[in-house]
Amino acid sequence: MPIETQGVVALAKGQPVSLETVVVPEPGPGEARVEIQACGVCHTDLHYREGGISDDFPFLLGHEAAGIVESVGPGVTEVAPGDFVILNWRAVCGQCRACRRGRPWYCFDTHNAKQKMTLADGTPLSPALGIGAFLKHTLVAAGQCTKVDPSAPAMVAGLLGCGVMAGLGAALNTGGVTRGDAVAVFGCGGVGNAAIAGAALAGATTIIGVDVDVRKLAWAQDFGATHVVNSRESDPVAAIRALTSGFGADVVVEAVGLPEVYKQAFYARDLAGTVVLTGVPRPEMRLELPFLDVFGRGGALKSSWYGDCLPARDFPTMIDLYLQGRLPLQKFVTETGDLGDVEEAFHKMERGEVLRSVILV
């Protein structure tokens, strides 16, 4: 039967979020209802609140979450009640041209729950990234649940649901960082520091963090950066070249999403090196580069969406690495709070005071 619970909802563009009564249906075919234990506060949730993703208000916010499967609908075999899962927003279809070619991380037809969660008056809610997890229970497609080792704390495991996996995957999957590489990361927030952690995990020997905030540069060193560059004080391209024998980095991750920063990343890489864009640009932004330089410098210019991850493959692996002490996921958690703290967590995130605020439900 349906469950009524309190959830964090953005009712109108640019307005503070509020706690509202949310009705969560009983799972139908192919769906699962999950009892949320922890959910990270991600920039994407703020983008939804500000109307930066769509205008399909009201939005049920929260998506970077982990919890326990409470019940499943008919036909669900991949998870069962009692399973500890991380929620993902890329439930692959298995049938599209990308899936059939053996590249399911590019799936072009990912899916969500078919039923809508609603407000108490019946108003349908738009769940952030097809999840909506700032509440006690949520309804998702069963394929959005990835079972992992329950030994991992939920407040750590849930981070893989979005930002941390985006950064790890940008380095490991999209960038293909390997042992001995020189890696530079522009932007040392949550995603950028995850890329730094991923580069360290892969065996990169030179890892350079670039930011304008000394606090974030200190975080970068804590995650494995061998060098840091304050781009307010020095030219980051020259600094990266000086730290790589004049050549530039093999892989450069741009985790900011600004054209001027991307240009710096482009020129900070070695000949035939790789630039990975994981920062999200705004729709009006334009990039201009000399076409001859694009040709002449060779290499690859890539975009990384969700770290090109395959949740069924990557989430359990990352949790195992965490439990082995090889991936410090716990360092991303700056603070914890409850559902009433989400609005203030947005403000702290905007001020750059936190890597991740995690809401314990």
Side-chain angles (χ1 to χ4, degrees):
M1 61 185 300
I3 292 175
E4 287 194 359
T5 187
Q6 293 290 293
V8 177
V9 176
L11 293 171
K13 181 177 180 179
Q15 297 300 308
V17 298
S18 56
L19 279 174
E20 304 290 339
T21 298
V22 176
V23 180
V24 184
E26 184 174 346
E31 296 175 341
R33 193 160 61 189
V34 178
E35 181 180 345
I36 302 298
Q37 295 180 323
C39 184
V41 180
C42 177
H43 272 93
T44 303
D45 294 305
L46 181 58
H47 290 326
Y48 273 107
R49 194 200 71 176
E50 295 301 304
I53 294 179
S54 82
D55 58 0
D56 196 16
F57 289 90
F59 290 108
L60 175 59
L61 301 182
H63 60 280
E64 200 176 76
I68 304 293
V69 176
E70 180 259 350
S71 57
V72 298
V76 173
T77 58
E78 53 266 69
V79 291
D83 285 346
F84 178 62
V85 297
I86 300 172
L87 300 185
N88 74 79
W89 43 273
R90 297 214 19 99
V92 300
C93 72
Q95 301 297 322
C96 71
R97 60 192 185 280
C99 288
R100 291 198 305 269
R101 291 171 179 168
R103 304 168 190 162
W105 50 91
Y106 293 141
C107 179
F108 302 131
D109 194 22
T110 57
H111 53 282
N112 306 315
K114 289 184 168 56
Q115 298 183 87
K116 284 283 191 180
M117 292 177 278
T118 69
L119 294 174
D121 65 2
T123 301
L125 289 164
S126 301
L129 290 177
I131 294 176
F134 285 143
L135 73 176
K136 188 62 178 175
H137 292 85
T138 194
L139 184 74
V140 295
Q144 292 179 275
C145 300
T146 304
K147 186 177 177 180
V148 297
D149 191 326
S151 302
M155 71 175 183
V156 166
L159 299 179
L160 291 172
C162 191
V164 171
M165 190 67 245
L168 289 168
L172 296 170
N173 297 333
T174 317
V177 175
T178 190
R179 60 188 182 278
D181 276 352
V183 177
V185 177
F186 284 76
C188 299
V191 174
N193 277 313
I196 287 171
L201 186 66
T205 49
T206 301
I207 305 173
I208 306 163
V210 181
D211 208 290
V212 297
D213 187 328
V214 293
R215 176 171 40 201
K216 292 182 178 180
L217 293 174
W219 289 338
Q221 290 176 305
D222 200 30
F223 280 101
T226 58
H227 306 80
V228 293
V229 175
N230 188 326
S231 54
R232 284 195 195 279
E233 300 175 353
S234 58
D235 176 2
V237 176
I240 290 167
R241 290 190 176 281
L243 292 166
T244 54
S245 303
F247 299 123
D250 300 296
V251 179
V252 183
V253 176
E254 202 276 33
V256 181
L258 292 175
E260 55 268 32
V261 178
Y262 188 89
K263 288 181 184 179
Q264 292 173 331
F266 177 84
Y267 287 109
R269 68 186 175 123
D270 196 358
L271 292 173
T274 298
V275 176
V276 177
L277 175 63
T278 190
V280 181
R282 294 191 301 273
E284 72 275 9
M285 290 178 173
R286 296 292 182 269
L287 175 68
E288 186 174 318
L289 286 168
F291 206 17
L292 182 60
D293 286 357
V294 174
F295 172 78
R297 297 185 64 79
L301 308 179
K302 297 183 175 183
S303 297
S304 183
W305 207 53
Y306 207 2
D308 286 338
C309 81
L310 185 60
R313 174 196 65 194
D314 293 336
F315 288 5
T317 298
M318 296 305 161
I319 290 297
D320 287 347
L321 291 170
Y322 162 74
L323 291 172
Q324 294 166 13
R326 297 165 63 189
L327 181 61
L329 294 176
Q330 74 284 355
K331 291 183 180 180
F332 288 97
V333 182
T334 307
E335 64 174 13
T336 59
D338 58 30
L339 292 173
D341 296 323
V342 170
E343 184 67 28
E344 179 56 27
F346 283 153
H347 297 312
K348 291 178 180 178
M349 185 170 59
E350 289 178 304
R351 296 192 296 264
E353 297 175 1
V354 294
L355 274 174
R356 269 298 183 270
S357 301
V358 176
I359 302 304
L360 303 178
V361 183

